[in-house]
Amino acid sequence: MVSLVNKDKSVSAPLTSFTLEPLCVPHLRSYMPEKDAQCPNARETGEKDYVNYIADEDYILADIVKKPSAQDDTEAAPQFFQRPSASHVCRAFLRAGPRRSTFFDRKLCKAAVVTCGGLCPGLNDVIYHLTLALRTLYGVKEVLGIRGGWWGFYDGTPPLPLTMQSVDGIQHKGGTVLGAARGGFEPDKILSAIQSMGVNLVFIIGGDGTHRGALKLHNMAAAMKFPVSFVGIPKTIDNDVDIIDRSFGFESAVEEARKAIKCAKTEAQCAPNGVGIVKLMGRHAGFIAVFATLASSDVDLVLIPELPLDVDPNSPFNCLSHVKNVVEKKGHAVVVVAEGAGADVLLSAVQSQQGHKTTADGKQPELPPIGEWIKEKLTVYLKESGIAATVKYIDPSYMIRSVPANAADSVYCLLLAQNAVHGAMAGYSGFSPGLSNNRVVFLPIETLVAKSPIGVNPYGRTIERILGITKQPMPKLRRPSST
Amino acid sequence: MVSLVNKDKSVSAPLTSFTLEPLCVPHLRSYMPEKDAQCPNARETGEKDYVNYIADEDYILADIVKKPSAQDDTEAAPQFFQRPSASHVCRAFLRAGPRRSTFFDRKLCKAAVVTCGGLCPGLNDVIYHLTLALRTLYGVKEVLGIRGGWWGFYDGTPPLPLTMQSVDGIQHKGGTVLGAARGGFEPDKILSAIQSMGVNLVFIIGGDGTHRGALKLHNMAAAMKFPVSFVGIPKTIDNDVDIIDRSFGFESAVEEARKAIKCAKTEAQCAPNGVGIVKLMGRHAGFIAVFATLASSDVDLVLIPELPLDVDPNSPFNCLSHVKNVVEKKGHAVVVVAEGAGADVLLSAVQSQQGHKTTADGKQPELPPIGEWIKEKLTVYLKESGIAATVKYIDPSYMIRSVPANAADSVYCLLLAQNAVHGAMAGYSGFSPGLSNNRVVFLPIETLVAKSPIGVNPYGRTIERILGITKQPMPKLRRPSST
Amino acid sequence: MVSLVNKDKSVSAPLTSFTLEPLCVPHLRSYMPEKDAQCPNARETGEKDYVNYIADEDYILADIVKKPSAQDDTEAAPQFFQRPSASHVCRAFLRAGPRRSTFFDRKLCKAAVVTCGGLCPGLNDVIYHLTLALRTLYGVKEVLGIRGGWWGFYDGTPPLPLTMQSVDGIQHKGGTVLGAARGGFEPDKILSAIQSMGVNLVFIIGGDGTHRGALKLHNMAAAMKFPVSFVGIPKTIDNDVDIIDRSFGFESAVEEARKAIKCAKTEAQCAPNGVGIVKLMGRHAGFIAVFATLASSDVDLVLIPELPLDVDPNSPFNCLSHVKNVVEKKGHAVVVVAEGAGADVLLSAVQSQQGHKTTADGKQPELPPIGEWIKEKLTVYLKESGIAATVKYIDPSYMIRSVPANAADSVYCLLLAQNAVHGAMAGYSGFSPGLSNNRVVFLPIETLVAKSPIGVNPYGRTIERILGITKQPMPKLRRPSST
Amino acid sequence: MVSLVNKDKSVSAPLTSFTLEPLCVPHLRSYMPEKDAQCPNARETGEKDYVNYIADEDYILADIVKKPSAQDDTEAAPQFFQRPSASHVCRAFLRAGPRRSTFFDRKLCKAAVVTCGGLCPGLNDVIYHLTLALRTLYGVKEVLGIRGGWWGFYDGTPPLPLTMQSVDGIQHKGGTVLGAARGGFEPDKILSAIQSMGVNLVFIIGGDGTHRGALKLHNMAAAMKFPVSFVGIPKTIDNDVDIIDRSFGFESAVEEARKAIKCAKTEAQCAPNGVGIVKLMGRHAGFIAVFATLASSDVDLVLIPELPLDVDPNSPFNCLSHVKNVVEKKGHAVVVVAEGAGADVLLSAVQSQQGHKTTADGKQPELPPIGEWIKEKLTVYLKESGIAATVKYIDPSYMIRSVPANAADSVYCLLLAQNAVHGAMAGYSGFSPGLSNNRVVFLPIETLVAKSPIGVNPYGRTIERILGITKQPMPKLRRPSST
């Protein structure tokens, strides 16, 4: 091969060396060192060639976007986020996987599983694989399914025994066999129930709020030197948990959301000056709207909470006139709106309508639903612009989250569930398994929830890709001053 | 929060520092330095806040599984592969993305796109997004779709002009609008065609063989100082390309394969002593079989080329008696077999039947198809074991690869196509965009194909997970001597 | 076989004999008898063995539910509808199919196709098969696709030439390649356009309103002795056209509606005291709601326009307390509501709220949407009954009608389209092909629209089946006095 | 409206009158008249307005294709089948539905359900709705699911109690929860088991062979004056049962078959001179192949058992040269072949290869599989014709029958199951519910199986439609001499 070495100046620059900064995960040995690593991991007998034990010293690098050249390009490049780091420090997360020895004696183990919050594709996959891993990889004899979220710990509902028979086939179904519910977090009652049931492995599937609960339980147990492992499994249909590559079920939800967009496209294409509007989940984060748009490539405008909504007829960034232009050019347009988009605009609209800024009791007034609002706004605008448009509104709502997991999400759920069990058996607590840089790691819940929920980076490359598809106008964003 | 610092010895060990070793990507500036970075990237005018330019010094760390403790655990841990590295060197791949200036002048650009080899979900997505990026991000005026693989460059078939109109909606369809074909790689004819057409950006979608062709074209052009950028986009239904996290279309194929397994499960469950056998693609690599099994969790035996096939009735690792045991216990069993599994066993069987080791002309004899072979083998074995089994055989064959891409694959195709265009416009050549550690990078084709096609690591964690589901017996593998 | 003759008294009763009463279809020969049957049906040459010509004397019996015993059982049996007829008269519809000779000379034929009203799965199938039949069965050289409904005849939009190439593959897509629109029926303009285009075969796909338009055009043309055949193809997502077994696209829509119900079921099952509400299309007819319920069998309450809505807390037929009972018993409930259900109740509610019966201008006030209304009503009722319910609302809206036709609907569209062409070429006009008693017949539009749109028979066997599934309370219906 | 009366001569012909000939269904009253109609149908109390009782004198006309003109057109019209009847006799089938009183006392009822033969979409729907109707419409306390086909009556397998809980949700699953199996029909053992279990209602789901068994059981029971009702429910994936409009599950299977054809089309389109071959079920009847072709409209050649296979290179009806022509014209072709097609040609091929007509033992030699055979034949033919074709072979096999029922089939299963229960409770036996002319009727099994299995009429209108799509050549068929 002809040598085509990269003559770029960066190559000639001295290669940067950097230091690894491991992120610790809480471990029960911190207050019960005598029990640490007392039990050989059962599978070591006989099948050891086929178990890839992970050492407590194995880490996955976290901050992997690097700029080896000496100088930073902050001045030159006006990007605000995801800048490659020239830092000499590189965080690293603990690698997930089975440990050579376990903290818990499998013969004395009793596990509990609970699903909190709303539905998400893959919940049953996680329950299935927690049960499978606990029972067949570690021989845990008793696995209890707590029903109806946190409430099920103390409201008298008998747990569902999770056996290979009772979970048979659930991995192909939407929803959760345990039921789910919001609220009900009463840490004292829950901890007391865990104690009285004799449970020492607790798997808590839920969002960032649920994870904060799990962390509190872990801290309370630690303070009491109560040897229970609390493991969170991040679940959010909105994909708004920090650090991890993506949350389970997200891809399945995007798949369903794309179907709704396809229907909107068909409706829009077939009507005179047709406009199809799809409202998607995402009160605080527009990931579903954004990824369904990328997957579909049939969308002309995406409205998400992270981006400013501009409906001012006189603004050059006015999204209504963008839609008008698209309709005039292509004969139809497709709009995707996340349920949390434009909250500030809606608030102003409501306030100006009511003539004052707050309600009598000082609270913010209730906002109208953005989907119907933008539909009305667009219809009026197009009419006033002389376009007799046909506006069709589609809200798939729960239809995108109550479906079974797609194949990729099923595999992801398996990875999370198995590693949750590996970590719990090893004695880790107050952590969650998660995919980081395409590797499953053990993340301290404290780190995981520090910035969660997060949103789509409004200055990032994903939005750049969205703009490449929709060509929608982007109002100037004020740069974060601190960067 | 109660402090639960990790008292693990690894923490007290001195943190390792690493050296970053960037992997260079060939660039046309190496022989035409005068043209380098002459053209501002068009979008800089007006929208610059929303373009995240990537610098040529931005890298993504490659070897991210690390062991910060000083000593290696080779002795202690008998795993063979994927061992966390204690090396002080960490390779890094060039980060993909738009560059601030381009090598090519968009006004003088003419692009060609070709799809080689067999079908794969997402081909049309890639074609769609190459066209979209070339035309609307860079304003390239002419994009030619070469028809029917390499042949289309010189066999007289007129190219399909790729315009926003001609690609409208293709991203929702299976197959490729350009047609695909094997063979036809005549580098001189192809290069000559490229020259006579005046094409300077060539996008070549295909497997490792096609990539070797692309590399050869790049090298020939470089030797001639002919300013053409050759970009590969790795396409393999079998997911057998080295380095990248996964190949596009793979998840969609696994989704379809899982459907076939579900049918086999239903058939097996509903018949007396039912055995459902599913044959899946994978002549050299069993990734589809393995991931469909993980996604389904309904499989009792997986046979892939990477694992030894043991049908010796006297062997403790005999897979036939495993199936027998499953049928006796559960009443039914599901078997997944990749088309390339057990080639050595089949060869021995054929040879022993023919009484000699090679055919008259010294070649290996043709092997019987493994699917039907194992079906026959199992039927006979079960009958001889006194079990009147009902064996159902399903071969979805091309049905798993001719479907449209699922949503996640569509997004992946968008990422690959856009970055292929970014890289080509910037003047890189002889490279492929690919997902590495969940980031899109520019990979030198030379590196990409060095070890491709690869297979499932028979000692790795994926196989460990398979064994956790199927409980199938695993014959002892001889450890690679060099480790 | 042991003789098990039916000793039933009905057998000993003298068998009734019937008189067949054929239903005539308008034919152009009535005013242009000299042109009748002048052209041999082309395919007679060479392939005649494989064309099953249908004679103008072939009929399909229409009233096929019979009671051969002499006396009627009106007194004894209190059913109101679908009573078997003891009448001596049996209507018969003209059998659809190719005629041995045609009225039109294929060489002089020019056809137009138009789709009116809303979308329906199968529109593109119909367009495809009209084109295929016209072009390849009859050799018609010119087929014009009128765009955007009736408007397209005269608003200057150029027609889409329908060729085998332009319709290739459209049968697998939702929507209509011609676009559709409501309104625009200007008979004079349309007829004048037909004349000036030289079109003599007009295929009009639409609902009962559109059919009334088609009939008017036919009558106007007949009055002018203008030899044009007007053929309707009944299209209604609501399945509310009289006489025919079902309308095309209906089964596909029910399939999608069932998916929404499945999601509602999953949501309901997984939430504490979960109630899933699905709103489905059906402003005047509840067929989609009813058949999706039968297909799903997961529904506890169905509200349709044809049945009284009872939300009076003191009524024994109160549907709210039924839902409460179901939730208390099963832990969750699923409700399906057609968009036109309960209009009278909503009207009363609005009027009592406003204190008067009509608005200032004498019109009826606008009604609130029933879906949200019943959601609110149920939520309040359950709360007041002491049940902390979780109510989830799903409105798939256009998602059930913009999908491609399922396989059965595609075949049905083929049957309708081919026979529409057969009938038009034979010289029939002012008719529609339709499935009656599982046979395709030619129906005079006058007969077809006489009672359309129809609704679900509230006393019929389908509602009986619904009650068998939902167990919902049924208020006494007043029997129609005339029966 | 302008009067456009049909001046056709057939209208002026005297209207034909005809006589109704009811087809009796065996009833247990024939040998136990004292028990007839002793029990009021429970629902009469309280809900009678909502039960549409069907009288034993209610019939559905069967022969509904009529020719009211006096003379027959045998001479003039060369069609062989489905000729409209000028007969004065019109058969009529007993109308299905609930009777005002029942033969069996619900308090003494015990039911058994068995599924025989291969899988078919909808089996679980039927089981679900049999259970629902028996338990909730009639209050039958015990319903037993016999496992594994006929064998389950006597091989010691304990029956599955069918309760609302045990059948919950099964209607959404493929397969049968009871298992199915071929063979095992031992009437004495089965009847003895029925007696010893105290079962008096037996529901037997299976094909024509199974129905012959059910009839035999009925006859044996009748001879013994043993009051048991035997009801068949026709199940055949091949839709090859006589009389009924279609068998349940058929539409679902066609849906899946169409998917395979779509894949074959994609593969063919994307390869140079691509030919996609799809093999579908249908050993004796080509209904699946034929309807999937109509539903897809993407097929260029259909081979079914009912049509002669012509591969003679010198024949004008040679199907190989048809495919060649299509490939040359369109660049690709799609072939659908039913597994039983061309048996005579294969037999000749095998015999000529072996040099004699029968095997040593006088039996017919085993035939090669037609799918692979035609693939080989086509490949060679195209090669010899100078076309370098790419032939792709797809056999979805069991994937088309193990899926859940689509919505329309689910509704059909409900109709069949409910009416099976209505008939059995009323005392009918030796019958099957079935759809005839779009109405559910009770058919004597003797009549149902008299001509079953049937095939596609090779001279009929369906084949005419196939030819309109595929344009494939049709060898002359010899007309049946008797017509």
Side-chain angles (χ1 to χ4, degrees), chain C residues 203-214:
Chain C
F203 299 92
I204 300 157
I205 312 168
D208 60 281
T210 302
H211 270 70
R212 289 194 180 88

Side-chain angles (χ1 to χ4, degrees), chain C residues 1 4 8 10 18 30 50 53 56-59 64 66-68 79 136 172 218 298 446 471 475, chain D residues 1 4 8 10 18 30 50 53 56-59 61 66-68 79 136 172 218 298 410 446 471 475:
Chain C
M1 176 198 169
L4 283 175
D8 186 358
S10 72
F18 295 96
S30 66
Y50 299 105
Y53 294 113
D56 284 344
E57 300 83 29
D58 294 357
Y59 281 88
I64 65 171
K66 287 292 174 190
K67 178 177 284 297
Q79 304 91 340
T136 75
H172 302 304
H218 158 74
D298 271 339
E446 199 164 16
K471 321 288 186 210
Chain D
M1 173 196 172
L4 284 175
D8 187 358
S10 71
F18 50 94
S30 66
Y50 300 106
Y53 294 113
D56 284 345
E57 300 83 29
D58 295 356
Y59 281 88
L61 298 188
K66 289 289 176 192
K67 177 178 285 296
Q79 303 92 342
T136 75
H172 302 304
H218 160 74
D298 271 338
S410 286
E446 199 164 16
K471 322 285 187 211

